[in-house]
Amino acid sequence: MLRTFRKGGVHPHDNKISRSAAIQVFPMPETVVVPLSQHIGAPATAQVAKGDKVKTGQLIAAASGFVSANIHSPVSGTVVSVDNVADAGFMRRPAITIKVEGNQWEDGIDTDPTFRRAEKLDPAEIIARISAAGIVGMGGATFPTQVKLSVPPNKKAQYLVINGVECEPYLTADHRVMLEKGEELLEGIRLLARALDAEKSLVGIENNKPDAIGHLTALASGDADIEIVPLKVKYPQGGEKQLIDAVTRRQVPPGGLPLDVGVVVQNVGTAVAVYEAVVKRKPLIERVVTVTGKGISSPANLMVRVGTPVSSLIEYCGGLPESAGKVIGGGPMMGRAMANLDSPVTKGTSGIMVLDGKEATRQKPEACIKCAKCVEVCPMGLEPYLLYKLASRNMFPDMEEYYATDCIECGSCSFTCPAHLPLLDYIRLGKGEIMKIIRARKS
């Protein structure tokens, strides 16, 4: 019997319309805009100035704290500016703009795509190379990978869990990575496991990707330390705590971390980036992005340099259809509407999704009928209807008492609500206010 997590969850239609689209290398843009904050934690500090010449893979911004990540030039060319630039929500944030002039790589980076096994390295050297390359979680969370691998002395990572679930509807980037970069993925897993001194690596993949399950099972057949774990399709199985429950039957306690139950979770894209960083000395300067939507004429999975304008990806896939009502960064459940399509692809950009006007129109909210469906589907065991009411009344300290900060913002509550209440919107608002309260309390 296929495994899945045991608390809550919903079943949106997966709409994986780009699942058969092989990864294409996206053409080099004329200009890239490289944000200094593409990760959770402190923004990186610029190491270049206007007029500087840079090479592909060159360090252009250095991590500025323990929870931070290096940033490298995705192209070779001339730095046009180091200034604030509008992001997807038109918020101005620091970024480095580079005019592209060829593709000359920094010395020491192996650009040969031929797969090769990693040399024998100790955990400290593996983590150092990952840190130098600016690797972050590529499933969307963008947590600096070297921090996740720095296990405290009083903790033990028994299991490395690899997230190949990609439960967000429409997105297929991870699916294609598993199919097309399987050897690199498995070698990245071995490196991560060695860095953690993990006893076993478990790769969770939902069974709507039977080709990926079969492919990786065959590749890993001779490695007793890696197990491919088929999972029943259920959203949000890609959440860390839900995936841990599904593959290990361990449950992370409220307010706890995966390491509290002896687990570290990494995304499949991150594992491939780790392989490239450790074996090829290649920093994280590009990633696979799904461009999709029922109105997109040519849905695709594109290998894109960081800093490339989102608008150029949409044009490459046929342009915005006349029926377009909203563009989402990410998938329809957890993604956010984009106000600025000229904003750049970042390390955390997993997909660009175009909704038509009908799909993008919200139904008018009605009165809560106290059906408790939102409670039933919440994978964190929260009471979304209550958190919504508290947030709508600005009762943010009360929200904290009801564990609002444990919300993973999966959107299952809003998806299932028969009254069409904007539950997640208000919970997100409340979480933001609670974090202000927590910061004030600490200071």
Side-chain angles (χ1 to χ4, degrees), residues 110 112-118 126 129-130 135 181 183-192 268-282:
D110 182 359
D112 184 350
T114 304
F115 170 77
R116 60 186 174 89
R117 296 295 293 265
I126 293 171
R129 293 191 187 188
I130 290 169
I135 309 301
K181 295 183 178 291
E183 290 278 18
E184 293 88 342
L185 168 59
L186 293 182
E187 193 66 5
I189 292 171
R190 295 184 188 103
L191 289 164
L192 287 165
V268 295
T270 309
V272 172
V274 163
Y275 160 79
E276 293 180 336
V278 176
V279 177
K280 306 279 189 173
R281 300 294 186 115
K282 178 185 172 184

Side-chain angles (χ1 to χ4, degrees), residues 17 292-298 317 319-323 354-356 359:
I17 56 180
T292 185
K294 294 176 181 176
I296 291 289
S297 60
S298 301
C317 293
L320 277 179
E322 291 184 5
S323 62
V354 178
L355 291 171
D356 66 30
E359 290 176 307

Side-chain angles (χ1 to χ4, degrees), residues 38-44 59 61-72 123-138 142-152 191-192 195-196 259 264-266 270-271 273-274 277-278 284 347:
Q38 300 183 53
H39 49 265
I40 288 176
L59 180 72
S64 60
F66 177 66
V67 183
S68 188
N70 289 336
I71 293 173
H72 303 77
E125 177 61 20
I126 293 171
I127 294 173
R129 293 191 187 188
I130 290 169
S131 178
I135 309 301
V136 302
M138 295 172 67
T142 66
F143 196 83
T145 302
Q146 78 275 5
V147 179
K148 263 194 174 184
L149 298 177
S150 301
V151 179
L191 289 164
L192 287 165
L196 291 166
L259 264 177
V264 169
V265 179
Q266 298 286 358
T270 309
V274 163
V278 176
L284 181 50
K347 295 178 183 180

Side-chain angles (χ1 to χ4, degrees), residues 5 36 41 101 107 125 135 139 157 162 189 204 236 248 284 354:
F5 60 99
L36 297 186
E101 297 166 349
D107 294 341
E125 177 61 20
I135 309 301
I162 299 297
I189 292 171
T248 71
L284 181 50
V354 178

